[in-house]
Amino acid sequence: MNFDRPVDRKGTSSVKWEWFKGEDVLPLWVADMDFAAPEAVTTALVRRAGHPVYGYTLPSDALYEAALGHIEKHFGWKVERDCLLFIPGVVTGFNVAARLVGETEAIAVPSPAYPPFLSAAKNARREMVKVSLPVENGRLVINRDVLEAQVTPETKLLMLCSPYNPGGTLLTKEELSGIVDFCEERDILICSDEIHADLVMDESRKHIPTASLSKVAAARTVTLMAPSKTFNIPGLGCAMAIIEDETLRTRFKAAMDGIVPYVNLMGYEGATAAYIHGSPWLKEVLSYLKENRDYAFKRLAAMKGLKPLLPEATYLIWMDARDLGVKDPAAFFEAGGVGLSDGAHFDAPGWLRLNFACTRAVLQEALDRMEKAIETLKSMPPAAR
Ligand SMILES: Cc1ncc(COP(=O)(O)O)c(C=O)c1O
């Protein structure tokens, strides 16, 4: 794959590109990649579209085998077929998980957070207990100590995001074990959103599924995974909930009843092709992304007023822009021609998130524009910023 070759996404109703339609703004916000999905995915979709009946569809044996095979091969986690439920999205999955706790119980949500985490407790009419994550040595940290200091006795569910978005923290075995021990001691369920599991930037490290740590971990964890971020097929709407504990699985299914639709048939087709044939593509895209990460990080770190965190995983750079001295950093860079995610939506005003899953040329242009925008501050009186 030549990831340098641009794919024109204009006119495809892309969320990322439509937002700034008609404006000269490079969209480096919502988490999808500007790259074509693996060719095998396109071939499978076109083939399926050639059959003109688009009825309700089941996940095939081939999909179970390919998805479970991928999880075992990449994370060394062997999961039984019965434990795997296909769902239309990971956000759906964690909103269902929020309904697993009693109405008087609370849900711990680490902050900063991927925005839909911040509304999951409210959607389920449960109390949210925010857990502020510190930045230590340029890394956003979630561990036992952080939870212990902030989680209340009413808390019965932890919304974990691993690898962490935003920030890109790849949790270590020690961090995960501490979190699991803490949850076991307090009888807290874990909803582990592992949608970014395949997007580890450092080849010497691996993502560890929370539930794979131990029997204790498996017994209290709902794992959410998906081929969507991995193979750039989020528009196909296919994700997975993996729940090894039978009682917990039955409760999860009951909470889904009547409100969660079947996965659409193209989602199944795309996921099957991606898991069977997508590994070489994934290897190549990871290497391209890693170069983009290093390039973008170096340039951002050199920009006055920005403090980026180096993501260990994900294709997203989380940065502190408070020292820029502008009221609204997202609006400031948008005026300079770069569309970033506004930290305010992640419960972190003054922070920004940059998606570097684009061609190097677009990334370079976006960073040039950001640099130029910062230059203009020199001649701008503080009151006007
Ligand atoms: C941590 C996290 N969870 C979930 C999602 C979205 O999942 P889905 O589109 O399957 O609902 C995203 C997308 O950016 C994400 O970053």
Side-chain angles (χ1 to χ4, degrees):
M1 269 298 288
N2 179 0
F3 296 108
D4 278 328
R5 199 170 48 225
V7 181
D8 188 1
R9 299 183 69 188
K10 293 198 188 99
T12 65
S13 302
S14 144
V15 170
K16 193 180 187 182
W17 286 82
E18 283 295 300
W19 193 261
F20 300 108
K21 194 175 167 184
E23 297 170 62
D24 182 21
V25 176
L26 296 170
L28 268 57
W29 65 295
V30 80
D32 69 24
M33 309 192 217
D34 285 340
F35 309 133
E39 206 179 322
V41 171
T42 309
T43 307
L45 296 180
V46 169
R47 193 187 52 228
R48 181 60 187 87
H51 187 294
V53 183
Y54 308 119
Y56 296 121
T57 303
L58 293 167
S60 65
D61 290 344
L63 175 54
Y64 275 107
E65 200 181 308
L68 294 171
H70 179 91
I71 292 166
E72 185 171 0
K73 181 172 153 211
H74 288 261
F75 314 121
W77 185 28
K78 196 166 165 41
V79 175
E80 297 299 323
R81 176 177 167 138
D82 287 352
C83 306
L84 172 57
L85 311 174
F86 285 95
I87 53 175
V90 166
V91 172
T92 304
F94 62 66
N95 275 282
V96 171
R99 288 159 172 81
L100 294 178
V101 297
E103 283 173 18
T104 57
E105 294 171 339
I107 300 174
V109 178
S111 160
Y114 167 60
F117 277 121
L118 296 166
S119 41
K122 190 160 144 252
N123 293 343
R125 296 189 178 77
R126 266 67 165 175
E127 185 201 340
M128 170 165 71
V129 173
K130 266 197 227 165
V131 177
S132 298
L133 304 185
V135 175
E136 289 171 9
N137 302 320
R139 181 173 180 267
L140 201 67
V141 174
I142 176 161
N143 60 24
R144 186 193 166 108
D145 293 345
V146 169
L147 295 177
E148 209 155 42
Q150 300 179 65
V151 165
T152 61
E154 290 73 35
T155 301
K156 288 295 159 215
L157 174 69
L158 168 66
M159 290 294 187
L160 186 61
C161 183
S162 171
Y164 202 83
N165 170 30
T169 303
L170 182 65
L171 281 86
T172 64
K173 195 168 179 191
E174 290 65 37
E175 287 167 333
L176 277 171
S177 302
I179 292 169
V180 168
D181 289 349
F182 173 76
C183 290
E184 174 69 6
E185 284 160 29
R186 300 274 191 107
D187 194 21
I188 295 173
L189 292 175
I190 302 170
C191 177
S192 191
D193 175 342
E194 301 181 16
I195 195 169
H196 296 282
D198 290 298
L199 299 166
V200 176
M201 294 293 125
D202 176 352
E203 289 120 38
S204 69
R205 292 189 59 197
K206 280 226 166 285
H207 166 77
I208 305 168
T210 308
S212 74
L213 272 184
S214 62
K215 284 213 166 70
V216 164
R220 57 178 58 258
T221 302
V222 171
T223 306
L224 302 171
M225 288 186 166
S228 54
K229 300 283 164 204
T230 311
F231 299 106
N232 201 30
I233 51 174
L236 292 178
C238 178
M240 304 177 288
I242 301 169
I243 311 169
E244 294 188 291
D245 183 81
E246 201 181 335
T247 312
L248 190 56
R249 194 162 65 241
T250 305
R251 284 169 58 201
F252 188 90
K253 279 187 191 166
M256 282 192 351
D257 238 10
I259 51 171
V260 177
Y262 290 120
V263 172
N264 85 76
L265 68 96
M266 287 304 190
Y268 284 142
E269 286 294 333
T272 309
Y275 279 134
I276 294 178
H277 303 290
S279 286
W281 181 94
L282 177 59
K283 200 164 173 240
E284 282 181 49
V285 88
L286 282 173
S287 129
Y288 191 86
L289 288 173
K290 186 164 181 285
E291 283 178 28
N292 270 8
R293 177 197 70 158
D294 293 344
Y295 171 68
F297 179 79
K298 199 166 162 212
R299 288 200 56 189
L300 290 166
M303 291 183 204
K304 196 164 179 292
L306 294 184
K307 281 194 222 115
L309 310 187
L310 183 72
E312 298 164 330
T314 77
Y315 47 72
L316 308 160
I317 291 183
W318 183 235
M319 59 192 131
D320 186 350
R322 288 171 297 182
D323 286 350
L324 271 183
V326 299
K327 274 186 219 86
D328 182 341
F332 169 73
F333 284 118
E334 191 180 319
V338 184
L340 303 169
S341 296
D342 184 351
H345 302 146
F346 296 69
D347 199 33
W351 287 70
L352 296 166
R353 198 189 69 175
L354 178 148
N355 174 348
F356 56 80
C358 54
T359 62
R360 189 97 16 101
V362 166
L363 185 60
Q364 191 171 349
E365 170 67 21
L367 292 163
D368 289 349
R369 290 182 183 192
M370 288 176 71
E371 229 165 51
K372 266 199 207 122
I374 292 174
E375 272 298 302
T376 65
L377 283 175
K378 282 188 187 152
S379 53
M380 201 186 282
R385 291 180 185 176

